[in-house]
Amino acid sequence: MSKGAGRLFMSGGILMLTGLFLLPLGLAVIGLIPVTASIFAADFWEFIGEPSVRQSLGISLVLGVLPPLLAGYTAFWFLSRRSQLPTWIAPLLAMPHVAFAVGMGLLLLPGGLASRMLPGSWEFFQSLFVDKSLSFLVVVLWLKELPFVLLMTAVALHSAPLKQWRLVARTFGYRDIDYFWRLVFPYLLKKLRLPLCVVAIYGVSVVDVASVVGPNTPGPLAVRVLGWSQEFTDLSQQRALWGTALLFIMGLVTLAFVWLHERCACLWASRQLSQGVPVSRRVVHLYQEFGRIMGTAGVYLSILLTGAAFFTLILWSVIESWPVHTMIPQAWTWSHWQWEWEEVVNALMQTGFLALGVASGALIFVVVALELEAKTQRQLPDILMLLPLIIPQLALVFIWQQVVGVHSLTAPFLWVFWAQLIFAISYVWLTLAATYRRFSRIWLLQAKVLGYSDMQAWVKIKLRMLLAPLILAWTVAFSVSVLLYLPTVILGAGRVITITVEATAYGSGFDRSLAALYAFAQVVLPLVVFIGGAWLARRFRVEDPATGRAEA
Amino acid sequence: MFKAGRVPLIVTLWLVCVALSQGEELITDDWQVTLQEARGQTVYFHGWGGSTEANRYLRWAAQEIQQQYGVRLQHVRLGDVSESVALVRQEMVNNQARSAVDLIWVNGKNFHALKDVGALLGELSARVPNAALLDPEQPFTEDFGVPTDDYELPWGMAQFHLWIKNEELQEDGAVTPRSLLEYAQRNPGRITYPKPPEFHGTTFLKQLLLALSGDDPRLQAPITDEARSELFELLFTYLDTLHPYAWRQGQAFPNSAAEQQRLMLDGRLSMAPNFNPAALTGLQARGQVSNHVRQTSFGATAITNHHFLAIPKASVNQAGALVVLNFLLSEDAQRQKADPQIWGDPPVIKFSESKDVVGMPFPPAPEPHVTWHDALESAWRARYE
């Protein structure tokens, strides 16, 4: 690249980073200051003192802490004895959280598919899974987040020089299992810090899944904040504000927890390593067995249940009637599909084009930002790039709406595109940044020695070698765009009707067949993209000689 | 307010009206302008999108309106219409001159929230010719105790009742607080109600209060401390007794009537609330609800109310919204809506010939005064949430 072009790239990139991403987020943070400051009012402490508010806080804390821990350890246990992931993990990400929750409910709760098809099992399911309980909600979140954490763990493992580590560990006389927990585990925790933070924040802020299967006397804080914000009395509006501030603080608390857990675990591992005292054989054995069972059971349960939930959705969309206590449906029909076909196709078209644009835009944005990093030798703080996932979405969207205001009518697609882009950028950053930063400049230098220009080297070497993670990041961004609800409805002024908007509406109704049909339609696009992406990534896999492994 | 000096003016105006022959042409002229202006507009109609019947009915309406008036009706289906109410209120805060919403399906607190901030277009009945067809015998000048003041027009009517799967729930042809409690005690875990402030849940409480107090007249007046402590004592003593036998021992409640209806169809509950008395026939005809289900009132009378349509003052396609509103109040559209095979939502206009009109099956009870509504909700939440 010539000097002029380089400078142009730099200034253009910085302009884009600031204008598209940092500025609107800064704006939102400024908007949040008075909200957060409202907690210094005297009534706020009265509000917090209410037993039901404290209970909600407790529930949200559990949701922010347990799912990342459970998903994290299940993934570690599973991968501590395997080097490969089952191939169908990536497509599991295509299942939206709420469709998964609905599917789990339709499947596992008493009266659901399982209890209908296995006669006499009603009581069993009733005792095992309690509708609208914290325990069921935690199980749903754990199994739903697991594929994401697994994938992130696998990405991290792929880039570690495992062979050398193992060799060193063996020379020092460690067993393989010790080697994993003392050497690999701390490394993984560091690499997974951001994904686990995202899972934690999701737990704190989740609304849709929590209202489908979660407790409601009282519910988690996020659900109540949404409820207060929809009540329009001065008191409930005030509570919604306080709740938003609390959500933001809770988010920070769970982040601190993830970090603290990582510090403690690493400390433990390094002490184990330096002292080299093997724990008693019995304890190790028990732990190993427990881990083996939990890891395997968790992962296969997650795969099985996602598949079954998907199947349940298809099934319900063609059921005409299914009287209770009968093993199979009484009547089948295509009429739901015939009635809705046109609407579904229209919504899918809008959704698909929007998601194509958003995913590509986010990918380009992040690659430019990462190239800027490489050029300036300075790293953007990850926390900054993940800000959109940390600020409560409802607050963020309403602050933007205030600014966008009337202009949302003149170009609704543009605003929805932009809002979705910001969330997609965070997810792309999450999936791509670590791998991209690790790319060794030596390859580019070698290419230049061989006579390639900067641009040629970049396209032919770097892009080519990073193709698989780039594809993965793009598919994640695509499904994020498909699944975003609030930014689409509020900033799109009702002009942008995606399949998720429709699925949310039908999901609130009585008609289970249509709810299932739209939920299925919602899964279709991400599913196709994930399967296609997985195939492409495999097709264009490039070996990285440094680690002896294929990239992602 | 009446000033003698204005008499000549009023007389002149009256004369002008008469001169323009039967006063009708005056409206017609304005209406012609509206129709012309509306042609080619797209009307964004925000409303709850969870009702398949309503959605398909509106699809039919959209085709008719396109054909007859050249107006495109875009139904914006939402999981909860209060999302749009919040949007319109935010627009008011922003002083936005153009609203994203052209027409909105509301009642109760959502209407109050819009009316309170002055977001709605007034004098609707003068702007919409078919408002003249509205059935004067129906009490739609109030919406949950707040005067509509012509800021919304009724679209359909509703009557609170229960779907039940088991005749044992009834006594003398209705579910009463006593029969409900006795049934629950014999069959623990089969009774519940949607969690207030969901409006079926709150209406369940109101209906319970009416039945327990023997239609106490104080419920129709603004709430007083004395009435509150006396009547709430009745209500909460009853609920405290019922909850241990309720679904999930009263530790959790369905989030909506739709959710409770699904639970009932899954065989997990014996009853569910509903607001549209004509819906069951259609649902049973389509096989979506078993034929064992029947509907009954909760208490001797049934709270009867309306759902409404309103237009934001700042709506961009206002003429189009008026045309759509006018069409939805036409005899044709109201008849189609009342057909149980299509939606089964009771009409709000008087039909020219009243054959097979859906009437209200239960003796109507008015809504308790609006002050009771808020008091009930906050007392319930303080106690059970």
Side-chain angles (χ1 to χ4, degrees):
Chain A
M1 216 179 290
S2 74
K3 231 178 180 173
R7 206 171 292 154
L8 196 69
F9 174 77
M10 287 273 282
S11 43
I14 290 170
L15 204 68
M16 182 177 88
L17 189 69
T18 332
L20 268 177
F21 192 79
L22 297 181
L23 202 67
L25 282 174
L27 215 77
V29 171
I30 293 169
L32 269 173
I33 290 174
V35 177
T36 315
S38 74
I39 66 167
F40 294 110
D43 334 1
F44 174 75
W45 297 103
E46 247 171 67
F47 167 74
I48 278 229
E50 285 177 35
S52 82
V53 173
R54 275 192 310 223
Q55 226 175 318
S56 293
L57 274 174
I59 294 172
S60 295
L61 200 62
V62 171
L63 294 179
V65 166
L66 274 188
L69 281 189
L70 284 172
Y73 278 96
T74 318
F76 297 163
W77 280 321
F78 185 79
L79 285 167
S80 67
R81 21 187 77 246
R82 293 170 187 78
S83 56
Q84 278 295 319
L85 276 183
T87 26
W88 349 288
I89 287 290
L92 294 188
L93 294 183
M95 191 74 160
H97 283 77
V98 68
F100 180 72
V102 169
M104 287 271 285
L106 285 174
L107 187 72
L108 292 180
L109 291 175
L113 207 63
S115 70
R116 283 181 198 235
M117 287 185 162
L118 306 168
S121 63
W122 187 287
E123 296 297 321
F124 169 74
F125 280 102
Q126 193 142 21
S127 62
L128 201 59
F129 301 107
V130 182
D131 205 353
K132 297 214 177 294
S133 64
L134 185 57
S135 56
F136 193 56
L137 178 55
V138 169
V139 169
V140 167
L141 287 180
W142 165 44
L143 293 178
K144 175 60 200 143
E145 300 293 11
L146 187 54
F148 170 68
V149 177
L150 264 177
L151 204 66
M152 291 289 130
T153 314
V155 169
L157 279 177
H158 273 299
S159 57
L162 293 181
K163 275 183 193 158
Q164 286 98 310
W165 286 2
R166 185 174 306 198
L167 204 66
V168 173
R170 279 191 181 147
T171 356
F172 282 92
Y174 287 109
R175 286 164 303 179
D176 272 3
I177 194 76
D178 292 329
Y179 133 83
F180 183 87
W181 289 102
R182 290 173 193 187
L183 273 175
V184 185
F185 171 62
Y187 163 83
L188 275 182
L189 274 183
K190 272 186 201 138
K191 286 287 164 202
L192 283 176
R193 189 188 299 157
L194 292 180
L196 290 183
C197 284
V198 170
V199 174
I201 292 289
Y202 185 85
V204 171
S205 57
V206 61
V207 173
D208 47 5
V209 177
S211 40
V212 175
V213 292
N216 66 3
T217 55
L221 191 64
V223 176
R224 299 189 73 192
V225 168
L226 188 66
W228 288 323
S229 75
Q230 288 171 346
E231 270 175 56
F232 312 120
T233 62
D234 287 345
L235 180 66
S236 48
Q237 291 295 310
Q238 182 61 56
R239 288 172 155 245
L241 274 189
W242 283 335
T244 307
L246 271 181
L247 272 182
F248 186 53
I249 296 168
M250 290 280 290
L252 295 179
V253 168
T254 50
L255 291 192
F257 170 81
V258 170
W259 179 79
L260 205 66
H261 166 261
E262 178 194 315
R263 296 307 308 157
C264 291
C266 288
L267 208 65
W268 171 84
S270 76
R271 192 161 291 174
Q272 288 285 313
L273 199 62
S274 61
Q275 293 173 350
V277 196
V279 200
S280 97
R281 236 165 217 294
R282 224 181 126 67
V283 175
V284 170
H285 182 71
L286 270 177
Y287 179 79
Q288 260 178 299
E289 279 306 300
F290 176 72
R292 193 172 63 88
I293 295 169
M294 282 297 283
T296 316
V299 170
Y300 286 104
L301 254 177
S302 169
I303 294 173
L304 190 79
L305 288 174
T306 311
F310 187 65
F311 168 74
T312 312
L313 294 181
I314 300 179
L315 190 69
W316 266 109
S317 77
V318 289
I319 285 175
E320 188 166 14
S321 75
W322 193 357
V324 73
H325 294 305
T326 53
M327 274 176 71
I328 50 165
Q330 206 173 43
W332 306 86
T333 176
W334 286 109
S335 67
H336 310 304
W337 281 101
Q338 283 164 354
W339 269 99
E340 302 303 319
W341 184 250
E342 207 176 312
E343 305 266 333
V344 169
V345 169
N346 276 344
L348 281 180
M349 295 279 275
Q350 280 208 13
T351 314
F353 282 121
L354 189 63
L356 275 178
V358 169
S360 309
L363 191 66
I364 292 171
F365 181 98
V366 170
V367 167
V368 169
L370 286 166
E371 281 300 320
L372 276 181
E373 272 193 350
K375 281 220 178 335
T376 55
Q377 302 283 322
R378 245 179 262 160
Q379 288 205 353
L380 280 162
D382 287 325
I383 194 87
L384 189 72
M385 300 308 287
L386 299 183
L387 218 47
L389 309 183
I390 298 172
I391 303 173
Q393 211 182 68
L394 195 67
L396 198 57
V397 170
F398 268 108
I399 288 167
W400 285 341
Q401 206 278 335
Q402 278 177 38
V403 181
V404 171
V406 68
H407 306 296
S408 66
L409 291 191
T410 31
F413 265 98
L414 196 70
W415 293 113
V416 172
F417 173 80
W418 167 77
Q420 291 198 347
L421 189 69
I422 288 187
F423 292 102
I425 284 171
S426 286
Y427 277 98
V428 171
W429 191 265
L430 195 66
T431 17
L432 189 65
T435 324
Y436 202 94
R437 281 171 179 162
R438 226 181 22 245
F439 182 83
S440 169
R441 286 173 54 88
I442 295 170
W443 300 118
L444 292 179
L445 292 176
Q446 276 186 355
K448 276 169 89 174
V449 171
L450 292 174
Y452 286 111
S453 73
D454 275 343
M455 200 58 195
Q456 277 174 324
W458 189 81
V459 172
K460 290 205 167 142
I461 307 294
K462 193 166 187 178
L463 209 59
R464 183 74 181 76
M465 286 179 76
L466 289 175
L467 198 61
L470 284 169
I471 291 172
L472 178 69
W474 188 89
T475 48
V476 168
F478 184 93
S479 66
V480 164
S481 160
V482 170
L483 299 181
L484 279 171
Y485 177 71
L486 272 178
T488 314
V489 169
I490 303 285
L491 290 174
R495 268 73 170 162
V496 184
I497 295 173
T498 64
I499 195 72
T500 294
V501 176
E502 297 281 42
T504 310
Y506 279 99
S508 70
F510 157 74
D511 195 329
R512 190 171 271 165
S513 295
L514 281 202
L517 188 156
Y518 274 93
F520 170 75
Q522 194 188 11
V523 189
V524 164
L525 284 178
L527 190 69
V528 168
V529 165
F530 269 110
I531 292 175
W535 178 79
L536 271 180
R538 193 165 287 258
R539 175 102 174 58
F540 295 103
R541 182 145 65 170
V542 179
E543 295 281 323
D544 181 346
T547 60
R549 282 165 173 276
E551 280 290 350
Chain B
M1 295 302 260
F2 193 78
K3 285 185 186 157
R6 289 207 182 140
V7 170
L9 182 69
I10 291 170
V11 172
T12 325
L13 273 176
W14 180 73
L15 284 174
V16 169
C17 287
V18 173
L20 282 168
S21 87
Q22 291 93 40
E24 269 216 330
E25 251 156 61
L26 198 67
I27 296 171
T28 319
D29 275 355
D30 280 355
W31 188 242
Q32 286 307 334
V33 174
T34 309
L35 282 176
Q36 239 158 36
E37 207 182 312
R39 195 161 282 279
Q41 286 185 343
T42 298
V43 175
Y44 290 88
F45 176 22
H46 289 231
W48 180 58
S51 160
T52 312
E53 292 77 27
N55 293 348
R56 288 186 181 162
Y57 168 72
L58 282 169
R59 232 177 266 171
W60 167 84
Q63 281 168 6
E64 292 290 312
I65 293 168
Q66 178 72 59
Q67 254 169 33
Q68 293 180 28
Y69 305 100
V71 175
R72 198 169 85 85
L73 173 62
Q74 174 66 56
H75 183 200
V76 181
R77 291 176 277 271
L78 297 148
D80 187 331
V81 75
S82 51
E83 285 151 21
S84 300
V85 175
L87 179 65
V88 173
R89 281 171 60 103
Q90 184 64 51
E91 289 170 351
M92 292 298 288
V93 174
N94 300 352
N95 261 325
Q96 209 169 297
R98 289 149 46 89
S99 172
V101 181
D102 293 320
L103 186 65
I104 187 164
W105 183 18
V106 280
N107 73 352
K109 68 168 189 192
N110 285 322
F111 168 66
H112 304 169
L114 290 177
K115 190 188 167 199
D116 271 358
V117 293
L120 296 177
L121 183 70
E123 296 166 347
L124 283 183
S125 54
R127 297 174 198 264
V128 176
N130 281 344
L133 303 176
L134 289 171
D135 180 359
E137 280 161 35
Q138 290 185 23
F140 45 65
T141 48
E142 288 199 343
D143 182 0
F144 281 69
V146 169
T148 58
D149 289 338
D150 225 3
Y151 284 108
E152 59 176 1
L153 288 178
W155 187 23
M157 203 175 174
Q159 192 164 54
F160 186 80
H161 60 276
L162 302 177
W163 285 356
I164 57 166
K165 261 189 136 168
N166 202 315
E167 311 236 321
E168 276 175 70
L169 266 161
Q170 286 173 310
E171 91 184 316
D172 305 330
V175 175
T176 65
R178 194 178 63 187
S179 69
L180 189 74
L181 180 60
E182 284 175 2
Y183 179 87
Q185 285 169 336
R186 284 194 306 273
N187 309 278
R190 315 254 331 149
I191 297 293
T192 189
Y193 53 95
K195 181 175 162 283
E198 198 275 344
F199 75 101
H200 291 83
T202 308
T203 312
F204 181 90
L205 296 182
K206 290 177 189 167
Q207 195 82 60
L208 187 59
L209 198 52
L210 283 171
L212 285 171
S213 69
D215 289 336
D216 194 306
R218 285 176 294 180
L219 287 171
Q220 301 308 328
I223 192 166
T224 63
D225 284 345
E226 194 203 338
R228 182 209 307 260
S229 64
E230 227 173 274
L231 295 176
F232 277 13
E233 165 93 40
L234 268 179
L235 180 76
F236 288 114
T237 313
Y238 178 88
L239 288 178
D240 283 344
T241 328
L242 179 72
H243 281 182
Y245 303 102
W247 182 67
R248 297 270 285 103
Q249 290 93 43
Q251 296 298 306
F253 295 84
N255 284 321
S256 65
E259 196 183 318
Q260 187 168 347
Q261 289 162 1
R262 291 180 182 187
L263 283 170
M264 176 181 170
L265 296 187
D266 282 347
R268 300 175 62 196
L269 294 174
S270 299
M271 46 76 83
N274 194 37
F275 243 123
N276 178 357
L280 190 59
T281 336
L283 288 170
Q284 286 179 332
R286 288 191 294 277
Q288 283 176 290
V289 172
S290 116
N291 287 327
H292 299 299
V293 174
R294 54 197 60 228
Q295 53 188 14
T296 170
S297 63
F298 183 35
T301 53
I303 287 179
T304 304
N305 58 28
H306 286 85
H307 50 96
F308 297 82
L309 298 170
I311 299 176
K313 218 161 46 182
S315 83
V316 188
N317 306 294
Q318 207 159 82
L322 288 167
V323 169
V324 172
L325 183 46
N326 191 57
F327 173 82
L328 292 176
L329 292 181
S330 69
E331 184 159 343
D332 205 16
Q334 287 277 318
R335 245 185 218 293
Q336 186 85 3
K337 182 165 71 77
D339 183 346
Q341 295 312 317
I342 292 165
W343 181 0
D345 190 52
V348 290
I349 64 166
K350 266 202 137 110
F351 290 151
S352 48
E353 23 177 329
S354 53
K355 52 167 192 188
D356 51 66
V357 170
V358 207
M360 285 293 154
F362 310 110
E367 284 275 348
H369 190 267
V370 65
T371 47
W372 284 94
H373 182 95
D374 297 338
L376 265 174
E377 282 181 357
S378 47
W380 190 94
R381 296 171 101 176
R383 213 173 165 98
Y384 298 123
E385 187 162 60

